[in-house]
Structures are given as structure tokens and as C-alpha cells.
């Protein structure tokens, strides 16, 4: 029986050494039972909240200011666009009036040129009639003179 108890004792000793060796070799996770550190960290984070809220409020205020600036810039751009559209409409009306004046001037020039052409045709026709009259009279005189000479020769 002594042998059996020795064997049991040896097994128990080996098991104890194995357990002790595994505890030394393998690191055990640290226990997190430090309530004071957790409480301190929680209070610290809670005390930092007003600062973060202030930062958020400042950031919000900056965003609101930037939004207002953007709205003002957009309003100015819309005013400028309306001014440009009004100027464009005025320029289109002025362009229409100028086109109308140019058309009237062109029509007046064409009617003047037509009038001058009619006067030229009338003058050339008058000159042609006068020259034709003198040439016709001259031809008749020559014809009459020639006949009268012929008659004189015949007599």
C-alpha cells in the first residue's frame, strides 16, 4: 500500500508541478477590479463633455456664419444676374431699334438711288431726243436738198 500511496503522491506532485509551471509560463489576464480607476476615468470623461459641447457649439456657429456668407454671396450673384438680364434686355431693344434705323436708312438710300436713276434716264432720254431731233432735221434737210438738186438737174 505504501507503493500505491507513493505512486499517488508522485502523481499529485507531478500534477502540482505541471500546474505551477503552466502558471509561470502562461501569462494570466489581469483582473479588472479597479473600481476607483474606472470611476475616475468616467468622471474625467464626464468633465470633458462641456468642453466638447462648447467646441460643437463653436463649430455650429462657424457653420451658420459660413452658411450666411454663402447665402449673401448667392443673393449678390442673383442680383448681378438680374442686372445683367435687365441690361441684356435693354441692349436687345437698342439693337432692335438700331436695326430698324439701319433698315430705314437702307430703304431711303435705295429710293434715292432709284430717284437718281430715273433722273439720269430722263436726262439721257431728253438729250437723246434733242440730239435725235437735230439729226432728224438735218437728215430731212439733206434729203430735201438732195431732191431739190435732182429736180434742178432734170429741168
Amino acid at each position: 500500500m505504501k507503493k500505491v500511496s507513493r505512486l499517488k503522491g508522485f502523481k499529485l506532485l507531478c500534477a502540482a508541478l505541471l500546474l505551477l509551471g503552466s502558471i509561470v509560463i502562461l501569462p494570466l489576464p489581469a483582473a479588472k477590479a479597479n473600481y476607483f480607476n474606472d470611476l475616475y476615468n468616467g468622471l474625467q470623461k464626464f468633465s470633458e463633455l462641456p468642453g466638447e459641447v462648447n467646441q460643437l457649439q463653436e463649430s455650429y456657429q462657424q457653420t451658420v456664419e459660413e452658411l450666411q456668407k454663402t447665402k449673401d454671396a448667392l443673393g449678390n450673384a442673383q442680383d448681378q444676374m438680374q442686372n445683367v438680364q435687365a441690361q441684356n434686355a435693354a441692349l436687345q431693344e437698342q439693337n432692335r431699334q438700331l436695326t430698324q434705323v439701319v433698315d430705314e436708312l437702307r430703304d431711303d438710300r435705295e429710293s434715292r438711288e432709284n430717284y437718281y436713276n430715273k433722273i439720269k434716264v430722263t436726262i439721257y432720254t431728253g438729250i437723246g431726243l434733242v440730239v435725235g431731233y437735230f439729226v432728224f432735221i438735218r437728215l430731212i434737210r439733206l434729203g430735201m436738198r438732195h431732191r431739190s438738186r435732182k429736180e434742178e438737174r432734170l429741168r
Side-chain angles (χ1 to χ4, degrees), residues 56-70:
L56 286 174
Q57 285 177 342
E58 289 174 6
S59 175
Y60 174 76
Q61 196 62 28
Q62 288 176 350
T63 305
V64 167
E65 290 173 2
E66 289 177 10
L67 178 64
Q68 188 61 36
K69 287 178 185 177
T70 304

Side-chain angles (χ1 to χ4, degrees), residues 57-103:
Q57 285 177 342
E58 289 174 6
S59 175
Y60 174 76
Q61 196 62 28
Q62 288 176 350
T63 305
V64 167
E65 290 173 2
E66 289 177 10
L67 178 64
Q68 188 61 36
K69 287 178 185 177
T70 304
K71 283 182 180 179
D72 292 341
L74 179 62
N76 291 339
Q78 286 176 344
D79 291 342
Q80 288 176 351
M81 188 168 41
Q82 288 175 351
N83 289 339
V84 167
Q85 287 175 346
Q87 289 175 352
N88 191 15
L91 287 174
Q92 284 177 347
E93 177 63 25
Q94 192 176 22
N95 189 19
R96 187 191 61 77
Q97 291 174 351
L98 287 174
T99 303
Q100 185 178 3
V101 168
V102 166
D103 289 343

Side-chain angles (χ1 to χ4, degrees), residues 1 10-11 18 25-26 46 50 59 73 76 82 84 105 116 126 129 140:
M1 261 224 35
F10 180 71
K11 283 183 180 179
L18 184 63
I25 292 174
L26 297 174
F46 184 74
S59 175
N76 291 339
Q82 288 175 351
V84 167
L105 289 173
Y116 289 145
L129 286 174
I140 289 178

Side-chain angles (χ1 to χ4, degrees), residues 5 7 18 33 40 46 48 55 71 74 78 83 90-91 98 107 109-111 114 133 141-142 148 153:
S5 73
L7 190 58
L18 184 63
Y40 177 74
F46 184 74
E48 291 174 357
Q55 285 178 342
K71 283 182 180 179
L74 179 62
Q78 286 176 344
N83 289 339
L91 287 174
L98 287 174
D107 292 343
R109 189 188 73 205
E110 286 177 1
S111 65
N114 289 338
Y133 173 75
R141 281 186 183 172
L142 282 174
S148 69
R153 270 192 260 160

